[in-house]
Amino acid sequence: MLADGRDPGEVKKSEREAALLAEKEKALTFEVVAEQWFEKQYADSPPTTSKKIHWHLNILYQHIGDRLFSSLERRDIVGAILPTQERGCIDTAHRLAQIASAVCLFAWGLGYTDRNIADRIGATLKPIPRRHRAAITDPEKVGGLLRRIHGYTGSGLSVRYCLNILPYLSLRSEEIRLALWEEIDLENAVWTIPAKRHEYGGGMKMRVTHTVPLPRQVVALFRELKEIREMNGGGELCFPITAEGLLAALRDMGYSKEEMSIHGFRTIFSTLARENNLNPNHIEKQLAHKEQNAVVEAYDRSQYFEQRRELMQAWADYLDKLRQAL
């Protein structure tokens, strides 16, 4: 080695490092790397989110879980996803592609591989079919829906109050179902929905705290519910119910899945509020939609809270007129 101009000590060191790297690579299967990624990204996520991500990961593990990451090629990732697409689960296939790409990007960042082999892999899949969640948008029929909700006596107390409040606020199902009393300030008529609710799950879809001005009608309903709750032992949750419970109530009222969904209350608000010439910018803020323009999102920090307070009161009054119309 000396004759060849090499340092024997450096050679031995290089050999040891190569042996250690080889041993490490033997242990770095796709599943091992994916679990490292999961721990970094979802360690503090609600149980429902963790369970959902692991459900998707387990589909990938069935095909490539025990494969060494260093041996994987792009076609292997595609091969792990295609069976799901072939079963007609297009949405799930695209979610698998997103997760696989995130895992591979994570591996690339840590130096486990020299490239992201799953970059833009969703482009190899069939496009997700566009779907619209069922919603009633004819004002007269919306009035009929509100009358049925107002007079509904089935299910439990929580379902009835939640369904009466939901049309006024047009929140996502999980945002309202997992509401905590500590979030609601009835004196100032404002509900602050946190980005996350930890063990309760829920929170805002975009993981940004959202302030919701409460119209008079909603404050009155919350006061009624709180009084009844306190007489019966209280509890942290305003509505200890499931999404299935809300849907079952709608079906019990005679609305099929093709006619009306829980998400449909947001569509009703978005559609009819615009038809009544209410400010579209305030409507979008109230719906807590993500700004599509990245530049606008970066610079627009306005919340239009006072304007939204006027908006939500006008909307609540409009719904009452629809409900009371014969």
Side-chain angles (χ1 to χ4, degrees):
M1 291 181 189
L2 290 171
D4 291 338
R6 292 185 295 162
D7 183 339
E10 287 299 318
V11 170
K12 286 184 179 180
K13 181 180 177 182
S14 297
E15 289 174 348
R16 283 197 302 271
E17 289 175 349
L20 286 171
L21 181 60
E23 193 64 32
K24 185 178 181 181
E25 287 183 345
K26 285 181 183 178
L28 286 176
T29 62
F30 179 84
E31 182 171 352
V32 168
V33 175
E35 289 299 319
Q36 290 179 6
W37 165 80
F38 176 84
E39 284 301 316
K40 184 173 180 62
Q41 297 294 324
Y42 293 96
D44 299 323
S45 295
T48 51
T49 302
S50 299
K51 186 176 180 181
K52 191 179 294 184
I53 297 295
H54 254 132
W55 182 83
H56 286 92
L57 284 172
N58 285 331
I59 295 175
L60 295 171
Y61 293 163
Q62 292 173 20
H63 301 277
I64 56 174
D66 59 354
R67 288 283 303 276
L68 293 178
F69 210 97
S70 59
S71 71
L72 285 173
E73 296 292 341
R74 190 177 180 84
R75 61 177 176 272
D76 299 316
I77 307 293
V78 175
I81 297 171
L82 285 180
T84 298
Q85 175 179 269
E86 289 165 3
R87 290 197 304 273
C89 305
I90 310 300
D91 296 64
T92 303
H94 277 269
R95 185 60 180 136
L96 291 176
Q98 290 172 356
I99 290 173
S101 182
V103 171
C104 292
L105 182 62
F106 172 77
W108 180 36
L110 289 179
Y112 295 163
T113 178
D114 61 358
R115 67 194 190 285
N116 179 1
I117 59 174
D119 183 39
R120 301 181 186 179
I121 208 164
T124 66
L125 304 173
K126 294 178 181 178
I128 298 174
R130 292 183 64 83
R131 301 187 190 93
H132 295 287
R133 293 172 181 171
I136 297 167
T137 55
D138 176 80
E140 186 176 340
K141 291 182 179 179
V142 170
L145 169 63
L146 296 173
R147 285 191 290 276
R148 289 194 194 185
I149 290 174
H150 188 69
Y152 183 62
T153 58
S155 298
L157 179 80
S158 295
V159 168
R160 294 200 301 272
Y161 270 89
C162 189
L163 278 176
N164 274 279
I165 289 172
L166 186 55
Y168 288 123
L169 301 184
S170 304
L171 295 167
R172 297 177 180 90
S173 173
E174 199 170 59
E175 292 163 4
I176 190 168
R177 285 188 298 101
L178 298 175
L180 298 169
W181 285 113
E182 66 185 31
E183 302 166 1
I184 300 170
D185 180 354
L186 294 178
E187 291 301 318
N188 294 300
V190 61
W191 177 2
T192 304
I193 306 177
K196 293 196 296 185
R197 286 184 175 124
H198 302 295
E199 69 270 22
Y200 291 103
M204 295 302 299
K205 179 180 179 181
M206 298 304 171
R207 294 296 181 252
V208 176
T209 299
H210 184 44
T211 53
V212 181
L214 303 178
R216 293 186 301 273
Q217 295 89 329
V218 172
V219 171
L221 286 166
F222 268 127
R223 287 192 189 281
E224 286 178 18
L225 179 61
K226 191 171 187 180
E227 185 176 344
I228 297 171
R229 281 268 181 269
E230 288 173 350
M231 288 190 295
N232 291 276
E236 293 180 290
L237 289 167
C238 301
F239 313 105
I241 54 177
T242 63
E244 290 75 18
L246 286 178
L247 273 174
L250 278 181
R251 304 296 171 254
D252 195 27
M253 292 178 209
Y255 293 101
S256 69
K257 64 180 181 180
E258 289 78 21
E259 291 178 287
M260 188 61 192
S261 64
I262 298 301
H263 195 85
F265 288 106
R266 288 172 63 78
T267 303
I268 291 173
F269 172 62
S270 181
T271 303
L272 296 188
R274 283 177 169 80
E275 288 184 1
N276 280 272
N277 298 316
L278 297 176
N279 190 301
N281 291 328
H282 304 163
I283 292 169
E284 287 299 298
K285 285 293 183 183
Q286 184 57 38
L287 288 167
H289 280 159
K290 182 179 176 63
E291 172 59 55
Q292 297 301 308
N293 186 311
V295 175
V296 173
E297 181 185 24
Y299 289 100
D300 181 13
R301 306 297 171 86
S302 59
Q303 295 300 313
Y304 300 119
F305 183 79
E306 291 305 322
Q307 295 92 329
R308 286 192 292 118
R309 186 179 287 285
E310 293 179 12
L311 164 75
M312 297 311 289
Q313 190 57 59
W315 173 247
D317 293 341
Y318 171 70
L319 289 184
D320 283 356
K321 288 179 182 178
L322 291 183
R323 177 171 57 82
Q324 294 160 5
L326 297 175

